[in-house]
Amino acid sequence: MDAAEGEARTTSVEALTSGAMAPVWERVRSWVPPGTRIFDCHSHIGNDVDGHEMSAEGLIEQMRAAGVSRNIVFPLNDPNARDDYSGPNDVIWRAFEEHPDLFVPFFRLNPHLDYDAEFERCVGRGFRGLKLHPVSQRFELDDERVVRLLGMAAEAGIPVLIHTGFGMGRIVEPLLPTLEAHPELRLILGHSAMVEVLTASRAFADNPNVLFDTSVVRAKDLYVLLCSVDPDRVCYGSDIPYGDFPSTLHATLASCRAAGLSEEEVSGILSGNIRRWFG
């Protein structure tokens, strides 16, 4: 690590909890139920074509500063990804091997390209889930290649986190047939299907295998979600490096308070609900 990288990391960690963020962070910490070990279900490691980046070490420093105990991690939209995403997936696996108590590794695939070999390699290696991004990789959720891949995940017993946030147009309607065909399929709706949040909360209300993650969702949309589904179906996410712990925790916790959730329900959203799947 060179001096510039070290300085950038220090600045990032300090910005997390001090200066203008200090009052917000103090309030956020007071809202976290005692004994809750925060589990972030949505974060990235690597590089993105848009210039964002996050190292395992940088993420760990932010986790420690914020009191976050565990993170699901997966690749960004890496500009150097091979056709099968094996390079960025290897970055995630190395981070997991070095920090198995901190990271839960998800691999990423592009459904437009041959994915069978990389799927089998990652599942065999021990990855705990799959990340798909319909906007970055430009696919629809009812594309036959995507439906086949979701079926493979269901058969392998691994959950799939799908980007359902900014840039999405169709979420609920194309997913329903796949969930009917594979009732054992576990899905995490990244960003809580924010463009169809009310429709999604109604459509998936009775499916315990569909979770909604809170990453960079507006507080008013989180409030609608929390008033529409059982709180045990919602899990906290930061979307680092696009989000940060103070602002995403603030939005999540403020929405929980507005919705009148109990401390037990809030602790579930911050930790317990996703730990049911990953311990």
Side-chain angles (χ1 to χ4, degrees), residues 210-240:
V210 178
L211 299 181
F212 297 77
D213 95 38
T214 68
S215 58
V216 296
V217 181
R218 295 175 300 182
K220 67 176 184 177
D221 290 328
L222 287 176
Y223 175 76
V224 170
L225 176 69
L226 293 170
C227 292
S228 305
V229 300
D230 193 312
D232 71 3
R233 303 280 303 289
V234 181
C235 47
Y236 166 70
S238 71
D239 200 24
I240 285 176

Side-chain angles (χ1 to χ4, degrees), residues 186 208 211 231-234 268 271-279:
R186 289 180 290 160
L211 299 181
D232 71 3
R233 303 280 303 289
V234 181
S271 181
N273 297 342
I274 195 67
R275 287 183 191 275
R276 291 200 304 268
W277 287 7
F278 298 105

Side-chain angles (χ1 to χ4, degrees), residues 108-245:
R108 183 164 174 161
L109 293 174
N110 183 344
H112 288 300
L113 305 174
D114 290 338
Y115 53 68
D116 289 73
E118 181 65 5
F119 181 94
E120 295 301 329
R121 184 180 81 103
C122 289
V123 171
R125 205 172 193 183
F127 277 83
R128 302 293 301 278
L130 168 65
K131 164 68 183 293
L132 295 176
H133 202 301
V135 177
S136 293
Q137 272 65 64
R138 300 182 182 180
F139 61 83
E140 296 289 343
L141 293 172
D142 52 2
D143 183 297
E144 63 181 12
R145 293 162 292 191
V146 178
V147 171
R148 177 176 179 267
L149 184 52
L150 293 174
M152 290 167 61
E155 184 176 349
I158 61 169
V160 183
L161 192 152
I162 301 175
H163 171 91
T164 59
F166 297 112
M168 291 294 291
R170 301 168 64 243
I171 299 170
V172 173
E173 178 264 333
L175 277 177
L176 284 173
T178 301
L179 286 166
E180 279 188 28
H182 302 283
E184 74 280 20
L185 175 63
R186 289 180 290 160
L187 292 181
I188 303 172
L189 300 180
H191 319 297
S192 291
M194 65 171 71
V195 297
E196 293 185 345
V197 61
L198 191 54
T199 302
S201 66
R202 290 169 175 167
F204 304 131
D206 298 324
N207 189 335
N209 286 333
V210 178
L211 299 181
F212 297 77
D213 95 38
T214 68
S215 58
V216 296
V217 181
R218 295 175 300 182
K220 67 176 184 177
D221 290 328
L222 287 176
Y223 175 76
V224 170
L225 176 69
L226 293 170
C227 292
S228 305
V229 300
D230 193 312
D232 71 3
R233 303 280 303 289
V234 181
C235 47
Y236 166 70
S238 71
D239 200 24
I240 285 176
Y242 297 96
D244 61 71
F245 290 124

